Amino acid sequence: MELTVYLAGQIHDNWRDEIEQKAKEKNLPLKFVAPQTNHDRSDDIGEAILGEQPGKLYRDHAASDINNLRTQVLMQKSDIVIALFGDKYRQWNTAMDASAAITMNKPLIIIRPEALIHPLKELSNKANVTVETVDQAIAAIAYIFE
Amino acid sequence: MELTVYLAGQIHDNWRDEIEQKAKEKNLPLKFVAPQTNHDRSDDIGEAILGEQPGKLYRDHAASDINNLRTQVLMQKSDIVIALFGDKYRQWNTAMDASAAITMNKPLIIIRPEALIHPLKELSNKANVTVETVDQAIAAIAYIFE
Amino acid sequence: MELTVYLAGQIHDNWRDEIEQKAKEKNLPLKFVAPQTNHDRSDDIGEAILGEQPGKLYRDHAASDINNLRTQVLMQKSDIVIALFGDKYRQWNTAMDASAAITMNKPLIIIRPEALIHPLKELSNKANVTVETVDQAIAAIAYIFE
Amino acid sequence: MELTVYLAGQIHDNWRDEIEQKAKEKNLPLKFVAPQTNHDRSDDIGEAILGEQPGKLYRDHAASDINNLRTQVLMQKSDIVIALFGDKYRQWNTAMDASAAITMNKPLIIIRPEALIHPLKELSNKANVTVETVDQAIAAIAYIFE
Amino acid sequence: MELTVYLAGQIHDNWRDEIEQKAKEKNLPLKFVAPQTNHDRSDDIGEAILGEQPGKLYRDHAASDINNLRTQVLMQKSDIVIALFGDKYRQWNTAMDASAAITMNKPLIIIRPEALIHPLKELSNKANVTVETVDQAIAAIAYIFE
Amino acid sequence: MELTVYLAGQIHDNWRDEIEQKAKEKNLPLKFVAPQTNHDRSDDIGEAILGEQPGKLYRDHAASDINNLRTQVLMQKSDIVIALFGDKYRQWNTAMDASAAITMNKPLIIIRPEALIHPLKELSNKANVTVETVDQAIAAIAYIFE
Amino acid sequence: MELTVYLAGQIHDNWRDEIEQKAKEKNLPLKFVAPQTNHDRSDDIGEAILGEQPGKLYRDHAASDINNLRTQVLMQKSDIVIALFGDKYRQWNTAMDASAAITMNKPLIIIRPEALIHPLKELSNKANVTVETVDQAIAAIAYIFE
Amino acid sequence: MELTVYLAGQIHDNWRDEIEQKAKEKNLPLKFVAPQTNHDRSDDIGEAILGEQPGKLYRDHAASDINNLRTQVLMQKSDIVIALFGDKYRQWNTAMDASAAITMNKPLIIIRPEALIHPLKELSNKANVTVETVDQAIAAIAYIFE
């Protein structure tokens, strides 16, 4: 039984590589999908496909058309969602993906530092599991295969 | 036809009163519901009902149990959700409620200042309408009754 | 038992008034809702609420934000959808509303002239009933109350 | 991860071949399905299977029985729907398929010429992405695999 | 709490009047809805609304358009479905309505004579309750209000 | 693309073999599943597994437990349902399966002789296609692969 | 806004009266529904309606037909479910109702004594809130109306 | 056609091995998944992943986070659920899983000793089949492949 895991969340460090690496080390039968992690590419994709837009609002709207298409396709193909919140940035996309996962009955693991306990409390409360490290998230998924 | 509107979002100014007041002035047949807007009450409610908890994590978890119960009941009773994002705080609850509304096919209006165009672009893209002021949100709802 | 009927379709003649009038004559316990039937208002509503847009594409996009909000709210409140196609205009909104009604399991009556039998055949085939006149649509609904 | 793409829309030029060709050139792992693109076959299929019908209305109804069966089976198997509108014909089937896709939460890309911006504005507004060329649609899907 | 009960089933005796009468005697807060019980009216309704049809197949198809519209509207409004099978006729409509009720999670009571135990065994098995008399069905519903 | 077809309906002749044979001749990528077609086995299965029952009602109830388990598993795995009605027997199981398929949005083909047009009119009206022969049903499915 | 609350759980003391009394004292706009709380009536109801059964298994099966009909109707009408577990009896009905509520997205409050923390841990974990007393459950609901 | 079977229920004897062994002997194409059957591991898993907790309530809550994640993933992957109740322990997890399966339309087989007929009567009544032995459960599934 292979499971597909959607890795929602910040794109400012290499936590996705770390998860994939650790899953490989444990021989877990997991396939990972994710949003576009190249930040510039993600911001530019709207104009790259739809052409130049008349201002920042429209440029952002065009980019999110394409980014949301990607997320919807990949999340519908996934069995588990992991959402990682870092201590910088607002990361409303991450909260959006996490909440969508819950409402679609996709099992959800949240990773967040201790400092974010309070602002994330309601979302954490709805997730299946909330942890602080990538290792803990992998351990929770590994447990499914025991 | 009376509609129930859930007012998700920040609790640090009186925007909900303003919306209710303006709806009344326009004689719109709307009933408003909302999360607990007394911040201290919202943070304390877990321990108030469930008793003292062993630390901040557990205190927050207890509070969110009760807050999420409230939100789930009231959002299921609503016909429209308005989510307001201000320029302070992380407001992940607001993003969570907005995304849940979309996934449940509840029509959604986002109110956010111009400064938040970029970080909210994917969520905005999924909403029915994104505006900058309470007056615009009320105008969009008033249009339903024209 | 009062039923709410959504009147999708062209806004270029007074067929909605005719239906409401005939329902009243037959004392049918029906409440009618509909898209914005003032064409200019419908096209202008985006800029009226969201401000001037940078070109026609964006002006249309803004208008449809508000028009789709209206339709989603009202169609979710309805028990039956009537979709009328006239022989002018492309009326893709009407087809969109009719198809959404079918997919949401809302009972659907299509009214279309004989000349449109061929281009509407697949949509007609999915509707509960397809008729040619407003009187026939009203007769079909009246039958529910016999 | 292979994705299945349903190609809704006009059958009067070879745009589907073009899409399939371009997907192949980019080595995208896509499988394409579509409505019957032989127009005569599509119109005749009802009588071909169900026998001669008493007039055009019934002939069309019989054809749409079979065409709708085909569409329902194939669309339920698909992960993405592309709907192309050309500047001729009414193409209500295309609007019907596009709207059904949205209501079923199938990600939707609309391709339409600039001339159709206005009549398609509400449908476009509900799609994930609206573009003007086949290349843009392929680019949007290619982005999912980046 | 008032409940709406859809009375599916044969239209060849007055069992619906009997149920309504007995519910009234027991002061049960029930509202009853049903298919058209005038058999001729039910068979004629297609041509009455849609005009003369080219043969019996088409006449029946037209009638069922209107009858199914009625059933869909009324069953969606109901809280409980009672389906009565008599020992004459094939009553596939009744089986259709009963099975639709089960699949829609509408609570279902079947009334059938002892002679029909065997042919109805799979459908009975899926119903909430299967009884032999109208009095038993009313007793089962009365129990909800105890 | 392989499709799974559930063959609901009477078990008194070899129509299922005929369909499978003809699908093979046409090289259609179909897999067929069906209810238990050995009538005695189907009637005995309850007591065979659950032990002797205290009378015919209970014996039938036990058999339908097992038969309904089988049908639910197999129908959920299917992409298309074919329901064949013969001119003997009441075949309420067939009507039950056909109606369940419709309500679950499984595409449905009904096969029935001309003599059954009238009693099956409402169910036929809800099916995607109604035909008179096995060949026609196979032709309709073959069309999906054209 | 009046809410309907289903009171699942043990029927061996008067906790339902206590809840209703306390809700009244607080002027909460709540309507309460519940399973049959007369234990003998609940066990006898099958034979009372369906006649004498051939043994205890069948007697119990008949009773549960009627009890499950009641529960299904009332739970579908409810906005919130409270499930109380006492320290005697197995109360699998209570667990069944609580789990059904969760799966149907009905907000759920569990009341259980401290002694049951361990055996109820997975179910508690899925509930919105778990408390130890009737007063706490009422306090949680009262908070919705603040 | 391979089916995946979730084996809910007590973890105090080797009934799962027995089922897997018997399925193998009969060459049934079944894949089995299950909750964690090592009782200590199941109780410890929360602290093993999330760290030491401040007391038994929190320790149990942490464990159930991980156990419920596992169950949700595996049950969503399953085609059939078997739930076994033994005569010891309260086994509310088993009742929770069984009820969730029913509400999600997963076919359900209950295995329980004669002594549990009465306390399990409502849950049994909702299951597809209730049997007393592992052999009977396997026989019911084997029948699907006949």
Side-chain angles (χ1 to χ4, degrees), chain A residues 32-65:
Chain A
F32 294 95
V33 291
Q36 175 57 258
T37 54
N38 178 327
H39 198 168
D40 288 344
R41 176 72 171 149
S42 163
D43 281 357
D44 294 343
I45 188 65
E47 293 195 332
I49 291 179
L50 298 164
E52 205 186 336
Q53 302 295 314
K56 284 178 62 173
L57 171 68
Y58 303 96
R59 172 178 150 86
D60 277 351
H61 193 81
S64 58
D65 270 359

Tab-separated table of all heavy atoms in Angstrom, chain A residues 32-65:
chain	number	residue	atom	x	y	z
A	32	PHE	N	5.606	11.853	-2.585
A	32	PHE	CA	5.349	13.205	-2.097
A	32	PHE	C	4.978	14.154	-3.231
A	32	PHE	O	5.578	14.108	-4.308
A	32	PHE	CB	6.591	13.745	-1.371
A	32	PHE	CG	6.895	12.993	-0.118
A	32	PHE	CD1	7.813	11.952	-0.110
A	32	PHE	CD2	6.230	13.299	1.052
A	32	PHE	CE1	8.076	11.241	1.052
A	32	PHE	CE2	6.492	12.594	2.220
A	32	PHE	CZ	7.415	11.560	2.222
A	33	VAL	N	4.019	14.999	-2.982
A	33	VAL	CA	3.684	16.078	-3.916
A	33	VAL	C	3.632	17.364	-3.104
A	33	VAL	O	3.517	17.335	-1.881
A	33	VAL	CB	2.342	15.822	-4.641
A	33	VAL	CG1	2.463	14.645	-5.604
A	33	VAL	CG2	1.220	15.561	-3.644
A	34	ALA	N	3.686	18.493	-3.806
A	34	ALA	CA	3.820	19.745	-3.069
A	34	ALA	C	3.451	20.913	-3.972
A	34	ALA	O	3.382	20.778	-5.195
A	34	ALA	CB	5.264	19.904	-2.600
A	35	PRO	N	3.223	22.091	-3.356
A	35	PRO	CA	3.083	23.298	-4.168
A	35	PRO	C	4.425	23.637	-4.822
A	35	PRO	O	5.455	23.041	-4.491
A	35	PRO	CB	2.697	24.365	-3.145
A	35	PRO	CG	3.173	23.858	-1.831
A	35	PRO	CD	3.103	22.363	-1.918
A	36	GLN	N	4.415	24.559	-5.742
A	36	GLN	CA	5.648	25.073	-6.352
A	36	GLN	C	6.522	25.651	-5.235
A	36	GLN	O	6.065	26.511	-4.479
A	36	GLN	CB	5.268	26.190	-7.324
A	36	GLN	CG	6.403	26.922	-7.971
A	36	GLN	CD	7.338	26.013	-8.736
A	36	GLN	OE1	8.428	25.685	-8.251
A	36	GLN	NE2	6.898	25.556	-9.890
A	37	THR	N	7.741	25.161	-5.131
A	37	THR	CA	8.583	25.635	-4.025
A	37	THR	C	9.601	26.690	-4.467
A	37	THR	O	10.291	27.246	-3.631
A	37	THR	CB	9.324	24.457	-3.356
A	37	THR	OG1	10.035	23.761	-4.374
A	37	THR	CG2	8.345	23.526	-2.678
A	38	ASN	N	9.667	26.943	-5.751
A	38	ASN	CA	10.496	28.046	-6.226
A	38	ASN	C	9.645	29.310	-6.110
A	38	ASN	O	8.699	29.497	-6.887
A	38	ASN	CB	10.905	27.776	-7.676
A	38	ASN	CG	11.727	28.910	-8.268
A	38	ASN	OD1	11.517	30.074	-7.924
A	38	ASN	ND2	12.641	28.565	-9.160
A	39	HIS	N	9.984	30.176	-5.131
A	39	HIS	CA	9.124	31.305	-4.813
A	39	HIS	C	8.910	32.238	-6.016
A	39	HIS	O	7.788	32.660	-6.307
A	39	HIS	CB	9.697	32.084	-3.617
A	39	HIS	CG	8.689	32.964	-2.956
A	39	HIS	ND1	8.877	33.574	-1.749
A	39	HIS	CD2	7.445	33.322	-3.342
A	39	HIS	CE1	7.814	34.283	-1.430
A	39	HIS	NE2	6.930	34.151	-2.374
A	40	ASP	N	9.986	32.561	-6.718
A	40	ASP	CA	9.854	33.461	-7.865
A	40	ASP	C	8.973	32.842	-8.946
A	40	ASP	O	8.101	33.503	-9.504
A	40	ASP	CB	11.237	33.787	-8.440
A	40	ASP	CG	12.010	34.714	-7.502
A	40	ASP	OD1	11.379	35.319	-6.603
A	40	ASP	OD2	13.241	34.816	-7.656
A	41	ARG	N	9.231	31.559	-9.192
A	41	ARG	CA	8.417	30.870	-10.202
A	41	ARG	C	6.937	30.933	-9.810
A	41	ARG	O	6.076	31.179	-10.640
A	41	ARG	CB	8.899	29.427	-10.302
A	41	ARG	CG	8.111	28.532	-11.245
A	41	ARG	CD	8.370	28.868	-12.689
A	41	ARG	NE	7.780	27.883	-13.595
A	41	ARG	CZ	7.334	28.174	-14.803
A	41	ARG	NH1	7.429	29.399	-15.292
A	41	ARG	NH2	6.811	27.248	-15.579
A	42	SER	N	6.663	30.697	-8.538
A	42	SER	CA	5.288	30.716	-8.047
A	42	SER	C	4.654	32.101	-8.219
A	42	SER	O	3.470	32.224	-8.569
A	42	SER	CB	5.277	30.292	-6.569
A	42	SER	OG	4.081	30.642	-5.944
A	43	ASP	N	5.430	33.140	-7.980
A	43	ASP	CA	4.887	34.493	-8.135
A	43	ASP	C	4.752	34.904	-9.611
A	43	ASP	O	3.883	35.703	-9.965
A	43	ASP	CB	5.781	35.514	-7.412
A	43	ASP	CG	5.525	35.529	-5.911
A	43	ASP	OD1	4.634	34.793	-5.439
A	43	ASP	OD2	6.217	36.270	-5.195
A	44	ASP	N	5.636	34.357	-10.460
A	44	ASP	CA	5.652	34.752	-11.865
A	44	ASP	C	4.723	33.931	-12.750
A	44	ASP	O	4.458	34.319	-13.892
A	44	ASP	CB	7.072	34.588	-12.447
A	44	ASP	CG	8.076	35.541	-11.814
A	44	ASP	OD1	7.639	36.536	-11.185
A	44	ASP	OD2	9.289	35.286	-11.943
A	45	ILE	N	4.283	32.800	-12.258
A	45	ILE	CA	3.633	31.831	-13.143
A	45	ILE	C	2.403	32.403	-13.847
A	45	ILE	O	2.109	32.056	-14.996
A	45	ILE	CB	3.299	30.515	-12.393
A	45	ILE	CG1	2.801	29.446	-13.362
A	45	ILE	CG2	2.269	30.741	-11.307
A	45	ILE	CD1	3.836	29.012	-14.359
A	46	GLY	N	1.686	33.298	-13.186
A	46	GLY	CA	0.497	33.875	-13.813
A	46	GLY	C	0.857	34.634	-15.070
A	46	GLY	O	0.309	34.376	-16.152
A	47	GLU	N	1.794	35.545	-14.956
A	47	GLU	CA	2.179	36.322	-16.139
A	47	GLU	C	2.926	35.457	-17.149
A	47	GLU	O	2.819	35.685	-18.353
A	47	GLU	CB	3.025	37.532	-15.722
A	47	GLU	CG	2.186	38.551	-14.914
A	47	GLU	CD	2.843	39.912	-14.779
A	47	GLU	OE1	4.081	39.971	-14.801
A	47	GLU	OE2	2.092	40.914	-14.666
A	48	ALA	N	3.660	34.456	-16.679
A	48	ALA	CA	4.366	33.567	-17.608
A	48	ALA	C	3.383	32.868	-18.541
A	48	ALA	O	3.663	32.665	-19.722
A	48	ALA	CB	5.182	32.531	-16.830
A	49	ILE	N	2.219	32.526	-18.013
A	49	ILE	CA	1.235	31.817	-18.843
A	49	ILE	C	0.197	32.772	-19.433
A	49	ILE	O	-0.147	32.682	-20.606
A	49	ILE	CB	0.539	30.704	-18.029
A	49	ILE	CG1	1.549	29.591	-17.724
A	49	ILE	CG2	-0.662	30.151	-18.784
A	49	ILE	CD1	1.001	28.435	-16.910
A	50	LEU	N	-0.299	33.692	-18.620
A	50	LEU	CA	-1.428	34.522	-19.063
A	50	LEU	C	-0.994	35.865	-19.644
A	50	LEU	O	-1.834	36.636	-20.118
A	50	LEU	CB	-2.394	34.739	-17.890
A	50	LEU	CG	-3.022	33.447	-17.355
A	50	LEU	CD1	-3.649	33.680	-15.982
A	50	LEU	CD2	-4.079	32.914	-18.320
A	51	GLY	N	0.288	36.150	-19.607
A	51	GLY	CA	0.772	37.421	-20.145
A	51	GLY	C	0.794	38.506	-19.089
A	51	GLY	O	0.267	38.338	-17.982
A	52	GLU	N	1.388	39.640	-19.459
A	52	GLU	CA	1.544	40.725	-18.499
A	52	GLU	C	0.197	41.246	-18.021
A	52	GLU	O	-0.759	41.360	-18.798
A	52	GLU	CB	2.328	41.873	-19.150
A	52	GLU	CG	3.037	42.726	-18.104
A	52	GLU	CD	3.698	43.942	-18.722
A	52	GLU	OE1	4.010	43.905	-19.936
A	52	GLU	OE2	3.874	44.931	-17.996
A	53	GLN	N	0.118	41.552	-16.737
A	53	GLN	CA	-1.134	42.009	-16.143
A	53	GLN	C	-1.027	43.488	-15.753
A	53	GLN	O	0.066	43.991	-15.505
A	53	GLN	CB	-1.453	41.172	-14.897
A	53	GLN	CG	-1.571	39.674	-15.169
A	53	GLN	CD	-2.743	39.335	-16.057
A	53	GLN	OE1	-3.843	39.829	-15.852
A	53	GLN	NE2	-2.507	38.538	-17.092
A	54	PRO	N	-2.154	44.172	-15.652
A	54	PRO	CA	-2.134	45.617	-15.396
A	54	PRO	C	-1.974	45.967	-13.917
A	54	PRO	O	-2.872	46.584	-13.328
A	54	PRO	CB	-3.490	46.066	-15.915
A	54	PRO	CG	-4.374	44.892	-15.751
A	54	PRO	CD	-3.508	43.683	-15.915
A	55	GLY	N	-0.907	45.540	-13.299
A	55	GLY	CA	-0.691	45.911	-11.902
A	55	GLY	C	-0.532	44.695	-11.016
A	55	GLY	O	-0.778	43.561	-11.422
A	56	LYS	N	-0.154	44.958	-9.773
A	56	LYS	CA	0.196	43.868	-8.875
A	56	LYS	C	-0.998	43.003	-8.478
A	56	LYS	O	-0.898	41.785	-8.367
A	56	LYS	CB	0.850	44.444	-7.613
A	56	LYS	CG	2.291	44.892	-7.850
A	56	LYS	CD	2.908	45.490	-6.606
A	56	LYS	CE	2.979	44.479	-5.480
A	56	LYS	NZ	3.726	45.016	-4.312
A	57	LEU	N	-2.136	43.637	-8.241
A	57	LEU	CA	-3.323	42.869	-7.881
A	57	LEU	C	-3.626	41.818	-8.937
A	57	LEU	O	-3.888	40.645	-8.628
A	57	LEU	CB	-4.526	43.823	-7.743
A	57	LEU	CG	-5.898	43.163	-7.573
A	57	LEU	CD1	-6.003	42.463	-6.226
A	57	LEU	CD2	-7.010	44.206	-7.680
A	58	TYR	N	-3.573	42.237	-10.199
A	58	TYR	CA	-3.954	41.336	-11.286
A	58	TYR	C	-2.870	40.298	-11.537
A	58	TYR	O	-3.145	39.152	-11.887
A	58	TYR	CB	-4.282	42.159	-12.533
A	58	TYR	CG	-5.378	43.147	-12.223
A	58	TYR	CD1	-5.082	44.464	-11.868
A	58	TYR	CD2	-6.704	42.742	-12.177
A	58	TYR	CE1	-6.076	45.351	-11.515
A	58	TYR	CE2	-7.709	43.627	-11.814
A	58	TYR	CZ	-7.392	44.932	-11.486
A	58	TYR	OH	-8.380	45.791	-11.127
A	59	ARG	N	-1.611	40.738	-11.351
A	59	ARG	CA	-0.490	39.795	-11.458
A	59	ARG	C	-0.620	38.678	-10.399
A	59	ARG	O	-0.449	37.490	-10.696
A	59	ARG	CB	0.813	40.576	-11.239
A	59	ARG	CG	2.044	39.729	-11.127
A	59	ARG	CD	3.292	40.614	-10.957
A	59	ARG	NE	4.304	39.939	-10.186
A	59	ARG	CZ	5.214	39.109	-10.709
A	59	ARG	NH1	5.231	38.903	-11.997
A	59	ARG	NH2	6.100	38.493	-9.942
A	60	ASP	N	-0.978	39.076	-9.203
A	60	ASP	CA	-1.145	38.085	-8.132
A	60	ASP	C	-2.354	37.187	-8.391
A	60	ASP	O	-2.317	35.988	-8.128
A	60	ASP	CB	-1.326	38.797	-6.782
A	60	ASP	CG	0.005	39.186	-6.163
A	60	ASP	OD1	1.064	38.767	-6.682
A	60	ASP	OD2	-0.002	39.924	-5.166
A	61	HIS	N	-3.397	37.797	-8.896
A	61	HIS	CA	-4.589	36.997	-9.180
A	61	HIS	C	-4.290	35.941	-10.248
A	61	HIS	O	-4.724	34.786	-10.137
A	61	HIS	CB	-5.733	37.909	-9.628
A	61	HIS	CG	-7.045	37.205	-9.634
A	61	HIS	ND1	-7.789	37.010	-8.483
A	61	HIS	CD2	-7.735	36.609	-10.630
A	61	HIS	CE1	-8.883	36.333	-8.782
A	61	HIS	NE2	-8.880	36.082	-10.081
A	62	ALA	N	-3.538	36.343	-11.266
A	62	ALA	CA	-3.188	35.403	-12.334
A	62	ALA	C	-2.322	34.266	-11.796
A	62	ALA	O	-2.530	33.089	-12.115
A	62	ALA	CB	-2.469	36.145	-13.463
A	63	ALA	N	-1.356	34.613	-10.959
A	63	ALA	CA	-0.489	33.572	-10.390
A	63	ALA	C	-1.301	32.596	-9.545
A	63	ALA	O	-1.097	31.377	-9.601
A	63	ALA	CB	0.606	34.217	-9.541
A	64	SER	N	-2.229	33.114	-8.772
A	64	SER	CA	-2.968	32.221	-7.882
A	64	SER	C	-3.932	31.323	-8.654
A	64	SER	O	-4.234	30.213	-8.218
A	64	SER	CB	-3.703	33.026	-6.809
A	64	SER	OG	-4.572	33.953	-7.398
A	65	ASP	N	-4.402	31.772	-9.821
A	65	ASP	CA	-5.176	30.873	-10.701
A	65	ASP	C	-4.405	29.570	-10.928
A	65	ASP	O	-4.947	28.466	-10.786
A	65	ASP	CB	-5.364	31.516	-12.084
A	65	ASP	CG	-6.617	32.366	-12.200
A	65	ASP	OD1	-7.374	32.468	-11.212
A	65	ASP	OD2	-6.837	32.937	-13.282
